[in-house]
């Protein structure tokens, strides 16, 4: 399998010979304002430009949108992605919203798994900060959904199993997913994004450290590290942390970089 970091949560995963565009945020830098009531590290969103012409990202077999947040599926992606591309939604509500945008090959992920070409994609749980009372209040005020999903990739033709953890903190749902499916490679969203008063929305360096202590056999990719205004973790700070903690199986790709496993 290959994992190509594009920008922030946007990536291209090639698994079993099938190419998936993950969480497309395709607007030029600073198109959108900063996320309200969160730490601010930049003047707008996204904070950096794409590393390639946007049209190059259309050379995929399908699109996966893990959840309906701006930094995972933005207005530009909604407008310019080819509507004939198969697109995966985390639930029927978001599938209906995609249908209203003109997408005509929509597949809803499920915990039982759905087949696409030679791949089985299984929806996995996330805690996008929703179990925290302060974060719950933030979601109600902001209008954002607190629902997010990860995706597990498996095929009989490839021994490796890949787990895209999605927008989640490290909690029992992630541990149980790893224990159940025993993935070889895990991609974690690791920007350390926070709601008001420092309450976490996704993983930071200490979440990664805990995960890698619990499962030292796994290779971990840190994605969704930079590129959004509410990131509190940078690639440089994460590299320094990884070196200090001896996290030799942690990979922190630059935008545009391709990792092969």
């Amino acid at each position: 399998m290959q994992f190509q970091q594009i920008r922030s949560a946007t990536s291209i995963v090639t698994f079993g010979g099938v190419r998936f565009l993950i969480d497309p945020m395709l607007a030029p830098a600073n198109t959108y304002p900063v996320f309200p009531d969160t730490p601010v590290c930049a003047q707008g969103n996204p904070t950096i430009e794409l590393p390639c012409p946007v049209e190059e990202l259309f050379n995929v077999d399908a699109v996966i949108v893990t959840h309906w947040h701006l930094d995972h599926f933005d207005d530009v992606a909604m407008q310019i992605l080819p509507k004939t591309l198969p697109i995966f939604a985390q639930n029927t509500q978001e599938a209906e919203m995609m249908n209203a945008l003109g997408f005509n090959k929509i597949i809803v992920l499920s915990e039982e798994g759905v087949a696409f070409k030679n791949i089985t994609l299984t929806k996995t749980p996330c805690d996008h900060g929703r179990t925290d009372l302060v974060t719950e209040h933030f979601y109600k005020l902001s209008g954002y959904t607190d629902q997010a999903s990860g995706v597990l990739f498996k095929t009989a033709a490839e021994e490796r199993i890949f787990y895209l953890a999605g927008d989640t903190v490290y909690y029992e749902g992630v541990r149980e997913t790893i224990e159940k499916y025993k993935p070889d490679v895990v991609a974690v969203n690791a920007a350390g994004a926070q709601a008001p008063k420092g309450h976490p929305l996704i993983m930071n360096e200490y979440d990664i450290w805990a995960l890698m202590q619990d499962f030292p056999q796994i290779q971990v990719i840190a994605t969704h590290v930079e590129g959004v205004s509410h990131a509190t973790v940078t690639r440089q700070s994460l590299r320094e942390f990884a070196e200090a903690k001896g996290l030799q199986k942690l990979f922190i790709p630059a935008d545009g970089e391709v990792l092969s496993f």
Side-chain angles (χ1 to χ4, degrees), residues 152 160-161 163 165 168-188 203 206-221 246-251:
L152 191 107
R160 286 185 174 272
I161 297 173
Y163 172 31
T168 184
V169 296
Y170 185 50
Y171 79 118
E172 58 270 18
V174 174
R175 288 196 298 271
E176 290 169 359
T177 297
I178 295 174
E179 289 168 353
K180 179 178 180 179
Y181 294 103
K182 297 177 174 55
D184 303 278
V185 183
V186 177
V188 300
M203 294 193 200
Y206 290 97
D207 291 274
I208 294 174
W209 185 29
L211 185 155
M212 297 185 76
Q213 285 186 310
D214 288 345
F215 304 99
Q217 75 280 11
I218 291 177
Q219 295 174 295
V220 177
I221 304 167
L247 304 181
Q248 296 181 354
K249 292 185 178 181
L250 176 62
F251 300 86

Side-chain angles (χ1 to χ4, degrees), residues 11-34:
S11 62
I12 292 178
V13 171
T14 304
F15 190 86
V18 183
R19 286 169 57 84
F20 298 90
L21 175 62
I22 311 295
D23 287 344
M25 184 186 194
L26 304 183
N30 299 317
T31 296
Y32 312 111
V34 299

Side-chain angles (χ1 to χ4, degrees), residues 64-81:
I64 297 176
V65 175
T66 61
H67 64 298
W68 204 278
H69 279 180
L70 175 70
D71 53 337
H72 296 261
F73 193 39
D74 71 337
D75 293 345
V76 171
M78 295 176 190
Q79 293 168 9
I80 70 173
L81 279 173

Side-chain angles (χ1 to χ4, degrees), residues 115-176:
F116 181 76
K117 296 185 180 292
N118 59 322
I119 311 295
T120 299
L121 300 172
T122 303
K123 179 180 174 180
T124 61
C126 291
D127 180 350
H128 199 359
R130 66 177 181 271
T131 56
D132 177 83
L133 293 177
V134 172
T135 307
E136 179 183 355
H137 186 63
F138 161 73
Y139 279 127
K140 288 180 179 178
L141 290 178
S142 67
Y144 289 116
T145 177
D146 64 357
Q147 296 181 2
S149 298
V151 184
L152 191 107
F153 296 67
K154 187 176 182 180
T155 175
E158 186 166 336
E159 293 182 0
R160 286 185 174 272
I161 297 173
F162 173 59
Y163 172 31
L164 181 77
D167 263 11
T168 184
V169 296
Y170 185 50
Y171 79 118
E172 58 270 18
V174 174
R175 288 196 298 271
E176 290 169 359

